Amino acid sequence: ISETLSQQLGMNFFDFVNKHRAEEAKRLLSETELSILDIGLEVGFNSRSTFNSAFKKHVGSPPSVYRNSVRLAA
């Protein structure tokens, strides 16, 4: 699977999974009042720091900044 993802999408398996986790986290950050830690755990990360790093890599900002920007836009 990893080889196919790498060839077809240009990303490894972990990046593929984390991209989808980050997308679900974006939804939860904008639609719920769950804490950032709870959202990270809910989407499959084992710690807040791992969640923050992966989220920032795929979204471009930390979860707290993303949540604040979504709230300001509403």
Side-chain angles (χ1 to χ4, degrees):
I1 292 173
S2 185
E3 181 75 22
T4 301
L5 285 173
S6 182
Q7 290 176 352
Q8 299 297 317
L9 302 177
M11 67 177 69
N12 66 38
F13 178 75
F14 293 107
D15 283 338
F16 177 80
V17 170
N18 286 342
K19 179 181 176 191
H20 288 280
R21 288 175 172 170
E23 289 301 315
E24 177 63 7
K26 284 171 54 177
R27 185 186 71 77
L28 293 171
L29 287 163
S30 63
E31 295 178 4
T32 73
E33 294 300 320
L34 291 170
S35 72
I36 290 171
L37 175 59
D38 286 341
I39 290 171
L41 296 172
E42 178 73 23
V43 299
F45 291 97
N46 293 324
S47 72
R48 184 179 178 138
S49 62
T50 304
F51 172 51
N52 284 343
S53 296
F55 189 91
K56 185 174 181 180
K57 178 180 179 179
H58 291 284
V59 179
S61 64
S64 58
V65 172
Y66 178 83
R67 177 176 260 172
N68 289 337
S69 69
V70 169
R71 288 180 177 170
L72 289 175

